[in-house]
C-alpha cells in the first residue's frame, strides 16, 4: 500500500505530461485542424466519410470534438484538481477498492467538464451558424471576441467565482462535506462531479477564451492552465484575479477602439 501511495503523484505527472505531449504532437501535425474550428467536411479522410455516409458528419464531429476536449481537460484541468485527488487518496488509504474509488472520482470530475464541453461547443456552433447567415455579424466577428474577453474579465470580480474558488481551495473540507463512504463508489463519482461543477463555476469564463483565441492553441492552453492552477492552489493565486480581470477588460476595449479607429 505504501508503494502504491508513492506512485500516485509520479503516475499523475506522467498522465498530465502525456496529455500535453499528445496535444503538442496533434497541434504540430498535419491534422491540427481537428483541434480547431474547421469544417469537418473539409478535412482529409474525415471529409470523404462525411460526404458518403448519412449522418456521419454530425457523429464524427461530436466524437472528434469530445476526444479533443477531454484531452485538453486532462492536460489543463486535472493538475488543478490534484490536491483533491491526493487528499481523497489519503482519506481512503487502507480500503481494498481504493484504486477504483480514486478512478471514479477522476471519472466524475472529467464527466462534469465533458458536459460543459458539450454545452460550450453547442453554443459555439450555434454562434457560427448565426454569423454565417448574417453578413453584418460575419464582417464584425471581432465583436464576439471582444465580448468574450470583457465577460471573462468582468467575471473575475464576481462573487460566484470567488465562492467557487473557496470550495476548490479547501479540498479536504470539500471531501468531508460530500463523501461519507457508505455507498463508496457512487459517492466517489458524485464527489468528482460536484467538485468539477465548482471548478467550472470558477473557470468557465476563462475556458471560453479558448473559443475566442482559437481552440487547439497549445500556447494558450498552457497559459490558461497555469493561471487557473495558480488561482486555485497557491496562496498568491488570490492576488492575480483583479489584475487579470483588468487586463482582459483592457484587451477587449483595445480591440473595440482599434476597429473603431480603423472604421
Amino acid at each position: 500500500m505504501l508503494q502504491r501511495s508513492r506512485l500516485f503523484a509520479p503516475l499523475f505527472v506522467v498522465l498530465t505530461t502525456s496529455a500535453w505531449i499528445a496535444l503538442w504532437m496533434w497541434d504540430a501535425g498535419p491534422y491540427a485542424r481537428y483541434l480547431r474550428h474547421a469544417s469537418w467536411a473539409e478535412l482529409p479522410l474525415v471529409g470523404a466519410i462525411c460526404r458518403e455516409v448519412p449522418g456521419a458528419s454530425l457523429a464524427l464531429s461530436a466524437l472528434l470534438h469530445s476526444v479533443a476536449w477531454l484531452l485538453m481537460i486532462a492536460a489543463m484541468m486535472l493538475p488543478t484538481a490534484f490536491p483533491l485527488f491526493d487528499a481523497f487518496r489519503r482519506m481512503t488509504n487502507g480500503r481494498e477498492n481504493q484504486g477504483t474509488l480514486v478512478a471514479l472520482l477522476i471519472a466524475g470530475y472529467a464527466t462534469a467538464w465533458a458536459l460543459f464541453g458539450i454545452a460550450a461547443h453547442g453554443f459555439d456552433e450555434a454562434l457560427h451558424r448565426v454569423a454565417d447567415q448574417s453578413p453584418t455579424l460575419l464582417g464584425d466577428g471581432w465583436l464576439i471576441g471582444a465580448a468574450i474577453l470583457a465577460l471573462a474579465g468582468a467575471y473575475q470580480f464576481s462573487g460566484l467565482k470567488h465562492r467557487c474558488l473557496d470550495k476548490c481551495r479547501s479540498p479536504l473540507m470539500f471531501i468531508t462535506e460530500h463523501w461519507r463512504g457508505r455507498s463508496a463508489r457512487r459517492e466517489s463519482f458524485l464527489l468528482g462531479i460536484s467538485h468539477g461543477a465548482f471548478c467550472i463555476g470558477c473557470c468557465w469564463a476563462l475556458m471560453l477564451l479558448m473559443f475566442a483565441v482559437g481552440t487547439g492553441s497549445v500556447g494558450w492552453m498552457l497559459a490558461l492552465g497555469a493561471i487557473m492552477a495558480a488561482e486555485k492552489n497557491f496562496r498568491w493565486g488570490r492576488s492575480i484575479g483583479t489584475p487579470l480581470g483588468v487586463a482582459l477588460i483592457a484587451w477587449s476595449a483595445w480591440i473595440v477602439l482599434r476597429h473603431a479607429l480603423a472604421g
Side-chain angles (χ1 to χ4, degrees), residues 116 120 123 127 142-161 200-212 231 241-242 244-253 255-256:
F116 172 78
F123 175 76
L127 200 59
W142 57 270
L143 280 171
I144 298 174
I148 293 175
L149 285 167
L151 174 64
Y155 192 68
Q156 288 297 113
F157 301 97
S158 73
L160 177 59
K161 177 182 175 72
I200 292 168
C202 64
C203 301
W204 68 269
L206 290 177
M207 288 298 288
L208 286 185
L209 292 179
M210 293 300 301
F211 295 91
E231 275 193 319
T242 297
L244 177 61
V246 171
L248 291 172
I249 292 172
W251 187 2
S252 174
I255 291 174
V256 174

Side-chain angles (χ1 to χ4, degrees), residues 57-58 122-134 137:
S57 179
L58 181 60
F123 175 76
D124 182 67
E125 179 66 21
L127 200 59
H128 276 76
R129 288 181 181 273
V130 171
D132 289 342
Q133 296 173 4
S134 172
L137 187 58

Side-chain angles (χ1 to χ4, degrees), residues 156-159 161-171 173 226-245:
Q156 288 297 113
F157 301 97
S158 73
K161 177 182 175 72
H162 292 290
R163 286 194 294 273
C164 291
L165 272 175
D166 287 340
K167 292 288 186 180
C168 294
R169 287 167 176 160
S170 306
M173 185 179 298
I227 289 171
M228 289 183 282
E231 275 193 319
K232 292 168 63 176
N233 297 324
F234 296 100
R235 290 184 178 179
W236 55 268
R238 299 174 183 270
S239 65
I240 68 176
T242 297
L244 177 61

